[in-house]
């Protein structure tokens, strides 16, 4: 039996309610603080619901680790968390752009370390460690394919928000507006 939009949204947000307070692996904020800050950054720049929700959902795959035994990246989160999150969102019927942006934020890190070697030095220690598990610096061929993606500029924006969303003392906003956005996208 197909789930209603409300049931789908409740399912997704139950992950945040159950596991959002978990440590954001090696960073000074929780999972929920990190993802809500990314969404707030997208909102502050005037992006619409698909992009804001992608920012909010971008590390959703890490929340699965709290409920299931999944392959880890040396204590720095779940292997292929970006793909896990994207596939889950696709399965639930979210728009492809939301899933694609979730899926590609790791590609953006790999691309940026290729395009600008100094970018690596600006990464947090946890992000440097996970890069090795995520395929390392892109090859020239991978970078060319990334640049050919019609959404590559937006994907790089997602990465920018991901990097900035690690501030302490930023209050977590009410989640109801994000739930409403999700309901509207699924309607």
């Amino acid at each position: 039996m197909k789930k209603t939009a409300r049931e789908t949204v409740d399912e997704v947000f139950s992950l945040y309610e159950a596991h959002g307070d978990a440590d954001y692996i090696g960073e000074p904020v929780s999972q929920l603080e990190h993802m809500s800050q990314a969404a707030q950054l997208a909102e502050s720049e005037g992006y619409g619901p698909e992009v804001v929700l992608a920012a909010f959902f971008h590390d959703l795959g890490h929340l699965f680790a709290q409920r299931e035994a999944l392959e880890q990246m040396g204590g720095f989160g779940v292997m292929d968390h970006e793909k896990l999150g994207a596939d889950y969102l696709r399965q639930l019927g979210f728009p492809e752009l939301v899933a694609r942006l979730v899926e590609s934020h790791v590609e953006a890190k790999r691309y940026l370390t290729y395009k600008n070697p100094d970018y690596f030095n600006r990464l947090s220690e946890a992000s440097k460690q996970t890069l090795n598990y995520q395929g390392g610096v892109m090859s020239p061929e991978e970078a060319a394919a990334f640049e050919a993606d019609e959404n590559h500029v937006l994907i790089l924006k997602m990465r920018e928000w991901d990097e900035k969303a690690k501030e302490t003392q930023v209050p977590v906003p009410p989640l109801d507006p994000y739930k409403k956005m999700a309901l509207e996208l699924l309607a």
Side-chain angles (χ1 to χ4, degrees):
M1 183 167 116
K2 188 174 185 240
K3 293 178 187 168
T4 66
R6 171 67 62 191
E7 290 169 331
T8 299
V9 169
D10 287 347
E11 178 182 322
V12 172
F13 281 82
S14 72
L15 291 169
Y16 289 89
E17 291 158 6
H19 310 295
D21 288 335
D23 176 54
Y24 179 54
I25 309 102
E27 302 291 355
V29 293
S30 71
Q31 297 278 352
L32 179 58
E33 288 170 324
H34 173 65
M35 288 185 267
S36 67
Q37 285 180 34
Q40 289 174 69
L41 289 165
E43 283 180 295
S44 72
E45 293 187 30
Y47 285 91
E50 287 184 58
V51 176
V52 170
L53 282 177
F56 185 74
F57 292 150
H58 81 276
D59 275 342
L60 184 66
H62 281 309
L63 297 181
F64 296 143
Q66 306 301 317
R67 67 174 195 192
E68 299 173 30
L70 299 172
E71 186 179 0
Q72 300 285 308
M73 295 183 289
F76 291 101
V78 177
M79 287 289 291
D80 300 320
H81 74 281
E82 69 282 7
K83 182 157 178 39
L84 287 169
D87 288 348
Y88 178 64
L89 293 168
R90 284 184 182 107
Q91 171 195 342
L92 294 176
F94 280 90
E96 179 56 26
L97 179 61
V98 175
R100 178 69 184 122
L101 292 175
V102 167
E103 186 172 56
S104 60
H105 74 280
V106 168
E107 288 175 35
K109 178 169 70 169
R110 295 184 61 230
Y111 171 79
L112 288 167
T113 55
Y114 163 79
K115 197 72 171 173
N116 179 4
D118 188 51
Y119 177 78
F120 177 83
N121 296 326
R122 294 193 310 262
L123 292 174
S124 69
E125 192 54 39
S127 201
K128 287 176 182 175
Q129 294 298 320
T130 58
L131 180 64
N132 294 321
Y133 291 95
Q134 295 165 334
V137 176
M138 275 190 174
S139 69
E141 297 78 21
E142 289 172 317
F146 179 84
E147 290 168 346
D149 186 311
E150 67 179 322
N151 291 309
H152 83 276
V153 171
L154 188 52
I155 293 167
L156 292 172
K157 258 307 194 196
M158 287 288 297
R159 185 70 208 172
E160 178 185 321
W161 300 325
D162 186 14
E163 290 298 329
K164 288 181 178 178
K166 298 172 184 175
E167 296 296 319
T168 58
Q169 307 304 316
V170 175
V172 174
L175 299 185
D176 287 340
Y178 299 126
K179 290 178 182 180
K180 185 174 186 249
M181 281 182 205
L183 280 169
E184 290 170 358
L185 283 183
L186 292 171

